[in-house]
Amino acid sequence: SQQGEEDPQALSIQEGENATMNCSYKTSINNLQWYRQNSGRGLVHLILIRSNEREKHSGRLRVTLDTSKKSSSLLITASRAADTASYFCATLQGGGSYIPTFGRGTSLIVHP
Amino acid sequence: EAQVTQNPRYLITVTGKKLTVTCSQNMNHEYMSWYRQDPGLGLRQIYYSMNVEVTDKGDVPEGYKVSRKEKRNFPLILESPSPNQTSLYFCASSSLRTETYEQYFGPGTRLTVT
């Protein structure tokens, strides 16, 4: 069952612009993770935000979490062509769950 | 280097011919799982394992088997593959000791069943 749903499904921007993608979920979570997938390759963990955190940064990545709205956003600043990939959110539900639930992903294309 | 390996990376087979996709991790992770990825459907979990000899069904287990005889290996078995099992398969692992359960993914196995 898919808990997280990313929005938009696809995003096309120019190099240097910021890219924002959102993730909504349905039940309470322990943490929320963002992953990146280059075409046909395995997913790679980008960043994790815990349920008691509101914002986190890692390089050009900024993640926010709003537990009252059950949503998260991933911002990639000053995007590069190499950022072209699919981005997935994964939620760890509360209550001690260790099984992440992935959304369908946002496909990002950054034009040089 | 910490990694999850899968073999084969590409496989074309015929309906009904049993096959096994191997998965191995070198990080001493307790948790391992298999996903399939299909266009528009995202990642769907097939089976997972919390430790040796402990396996459980995910969201789409029909037509698949797994085993966990050793901590590092988690093979996916298709006893009688059918064309609707044509997909991109990923193995993943994580530690249950960190409480973040960050997943490490293999490179994927692209399976075509004709």
Side-chain angles (χ1 to χ4, degrees):
Chain A
S1 55
Q2 271 157 335
Q3 153 97 303
E5 290 294 335
E6 292 90 345
D7 172 62
Q9 289 187 0
L11 183 59
S12 180
I13 60 174
Q14 295 296 128
E15 211 165 29
E17 295 180 341
N18 294 341
T20 299
M21 50 206 90
N22 305 295
C23 172
S24 60
Y25 57 91
K26 295 172 184 159
T27 61
S28 65
I29 60 170
N30 182 30
N31 69 53
L32 185 145
Q33 305 175 24
W34 285 92
Y35 289 79
R36 165 194 168 126
Q37 181 184 33
N38 288 90
S39 181
R41 314 274 305 252
L43 280 69
V44 176
H45 183 266
L46 291 177
I47 193 167
L48 174 150
I49 186 164
R50 290 182 169 80
S51 59
N52 61 354
E53 298 174 317
R54 292 297 167 258
E55 189 170 312
K56 237 178 153 176
H57 297 255
S58 176
R60 293 185 296 113
L61 303 180
R62 173 179 169 248
V63 171
T64 61
L65 179 64
D66 187 334
T67 53
S68 67
K69 295 181 179 177
K70 292 186 170 60
S71 68
S72 172
S73 67
L74 172 68
L75 168 67
I76 304 174
T77 60
S79 62
R80 306 166 181 167
D83 293 328
T84 294
S86 291
Y87 293 82
F88 294 83
C89 69
T91 52
L92 262 294
Q93 293 182 30
S97 174
Y98 44 79
I99 303 172
T101 307
F102 288 84
R104 290 188 170 88
T106 291
S107 175
L108 172 66
I109 297 175
V110 181
H111 299 279
Chain B
E1 180 191 355
Q3 60 181 350
V4 178
T5 57
Q6 294 179 230
N7 282 292
R9 295 289 314 280
Y10 302 91
L11 179 59
I12 300 174
T13 190
V14 296
T15 298
K17 185 176 181 183
K18 180 179 178 179
L19 66 91
T20 299
V21 183
T22 64
C23 172
S24 184
Q25 50 92 7
N26 62 1
M27 295 167 280
N28 200 34
H29 284 167
E30 297 82 9
Y31 182 86
M32 297 185 74
S33 64
W34 277 101
Y35 295 89
R36 61 178 288 174
Q37 185 177 32
D38 303 288
L41 297 178
L43 281 166
R44 294 181 292 168
Q45 192 177 53
I46 303 170
Y47 269 96
Y48 65 94
S49 169
M50 281 182 64
N51 216 324
V52 175
E53 301 292 1
V54 180
T55 62
D56 239 320
K57 295 177 181 178
D59 297 318
V60 288
E62 293 77 22
Y64 305 94
K65 284 176 58 177
V66 293
S67 68
R68 188 94 181 271
K69 293 183 168 54
E70 304 165 283
K71 197 172 186 179
R72 63 183 295 128
N73 297 323
F74 191 45
L76 179 70
I77 303 156
L78 285 71
E79 294 268 359
S80 183
S82 62
N84 64 12
Q85 293 178 298
T86 292
S87 188
L88 180 57
Y89 291 87
F90 290 101
C91 179
S93 73
S94 71
S95 171
L96 297 182
R97 289 162 282 158
T98 63
E99 296 184 359
T100 59
Y101 310 127
E102 172 188 336
Q103 303 290 302
Y104 291 78
F105 281 81
T109 295
R110 189 168 292 280
L111 172 66
T112 301
V113 183
T114 61

